[in-house]
Amino acid sequence: FAGPDMDLIDLFIGAEGTLGVVVNATLRVLPTQPVVVFAQVPMRTEQAGLALVGDLRRAATETWRSQDPCGIDIAAIESLDRRCLEVLREDGVDRAQAITVAPDTDLLLIIQVERPAGTTDDEIFQDMSSALEPGAPDSAIGRFARLLHEHGAAGDAEIALPGEGRRARQILAFREGAPTGVNRRVGEARRTVDPRIDKTAADMIVPFDRFAEMMSIYRDGFTRRGLDYAVWGHVSDGNVHPNVIPRTYDDVVAGREAILEFGREVVRLGGCPLAEHGVGRGALKQALLRQLYGDAGIEEMRAIKRAIDPDGKMAPGVILATRERVNG
């Protein structure tokens, strides 16, 4: 019953504990890890930022295909929108982490570039500083620097070399300050305005060539409903987290309506409305699951559940709402 494109391992991995539990695991030691260069790159428009991300994605894909030692190897690209940056300033995270982002920044990118283990800070610095000189040697970091320059982003970018671990941690803490700040505002509104207020957010993914379109849909859906919102996440994967910053319980209700609308649009664009954190017991995510697969698809899942766990003992209520007995 796993189907032609899914084996039992895939089935259990995606089941969120509803079909079984892990009782034993075998681990192996990974080879030496690469060193990572962090680049914090402010972009004045989202369009310009996504154009840079697109070129970096293409360069990395070609590097992985060709195994070119001078190719750009991107591990991840994170993004923070303008509202995220406002939250970080309001909360003093920029000052705490000694990070200054120009007020006209529309999209901040945090890029991780990998280099082979043993690559030194001096080598990376030399490649970066000589990248635009005539006759500069070909290198991955040189190509990266030139690509930033082509997109008008080199002058405002900040680079943290592998040996600058403290600075890298500050950059990552700055990024994490966005969800922390939004979650704190949700909690304050729950305490001071209405106890029914809850986190109202999406976790959706679309193919990157449809990502700019989906970003417009997120903004339009929230703006039409008069909602305050912030968007951050894994831009290089086309997977971000649009979050409502609720002022009233009505904002939560409107935000849930927006998220269901987003789910339909994500499916239309060939993506998935449940990209990263699972379905769990949340009614909204379970509704998104039904939008994605339809009643027939949900019933197929229930049939698998009945076959493997007829008494419904494994993670009851997760993924499949417990409005009926699993074996009923």
Side-chain angles (χ1 to χ4, degrees), residues 17 26 53 59 73 83 90 109 129-130 150 154 158-159 179 200 204 237 240 242 258 269 278-279 282 291 294 326:
T26 301
V53 173
D73 190 355
R83 184 65 176 108
E90 291 166 7
L109 302 176
S129 59
S130 65
E150 290 169 11
E158 179 186 351
I159 306 298
T200 309
M204 301 180 176
D237 296 330
V240 290
L269 295 177
V279 179
Q291 279 186 181
V326 171

Side-chain angles (χ1 to χ4, degrees), residues 167-181:
R167 191 54 174 163
R169 289 190 294 274
Q170 287 178 315
I171 291 172
L172 291 175
F174 186 71
R175 187 271 187 211
E176 290 305 311
T180 298

Side-chain angles (χ1 to χ4, degrees), residues 13 30 37 92 103 132 140 156 186 211 213 220 274 299 301 328:
I13 287 172
L30 291 172
V37 179
L132 301 181
D156 296 324
V186 173
F211 182 70
E213 182 179 353
D220 176 68
L274 302 158
E299 182 48 40
M301 295 178 194

Side-chain angles (χ1 to χ4, degrees), residues 37-74:
V37 179
F38 282 83
Q40 186 169 262
V41 184
M43 304 298 294
R44 286 182 172 79
T45 69
E46 181 181 282
Q47 181 181 12
L50 296 185
L52 172 58
V53 173
D55 279 354
L56 288 169
R57 279 172 49 90
R58 283 185 285 274
T61 300
E62 175 57 24
T63 297
W64 303 333
R65 185 198 64 79
S66 67
Q67 296 297 301
D68 182 356
C70 294
I72 299 172
D73 190 355
I74 301 295

Side-chain angles (χ1 to χ4, degrees), residues 275-292:
E276 189 179 11
H277 295 293
V279 179
R281 293 182 171 85
L284 183 59
K285 285 196 171 184
Q286 289 177 346
L288 288 169
L289 187 73
R290 190 168 293 276
Q291 279 186 181
L292 178 62

